Amino acid sequence: MELKQLREKSADELKAHLVELHKEGFALRMQKATGQLAKTHDARRVRREIARVNMLLGEKK
């Protein structure tokens, strides 16, 4: 999701999105550990999006 779209969300929506991203990141790490991860760039995308959401949550405080 782009930063512009994330900025439009409320703090509660961002927190919910953050939980989903952590779940997705966990699933990707498990796939990597078992050798089933086909798209290795997805792990990087999730990590960066988590950082973006955390940055926006900090700004909203």
Side-chain angles (χ1 to χ4, degrees):
M1 191 174 293
E2 290 193 21
L3 189 59
K4 201 175 205 180
Q5 295 169 333
L6 289 173
R7 285 190 192 277
E8 296 171 357
K9 291 188 174 193
S10 68
D12 292 332
E13 291 173 330
L14 286 173
K15 288 178 186 176
H17 187 59
L18 188 62
V19 169
E20 292 175 20
L21 287 171
H22 279 293
K23 287 180 184 178
E24 185 179 353
F26 177 77
L28 290 171
R29 285 195 311 275
M30 290 301 110
Q31 287 177 10
K32 182 179 179 186
T34 59
Q36 298 173 350
L37 185 61
K39 299 178 182 177
T40 56
H41 64 277
D42 281 342
R44 183 177 183 181
R45 177 190 56 81
V46 169
R47 279 198 323 268
R48 287 181 174 202
E49 193 163 343
I50 287 172
R52 285 186 187 109
V53 170
N54 282 329
M55 177 195 65
L56 290 173
L57 283 171
E59 285 180 358
K60 293 198 184 252
K61 283 186 179 180

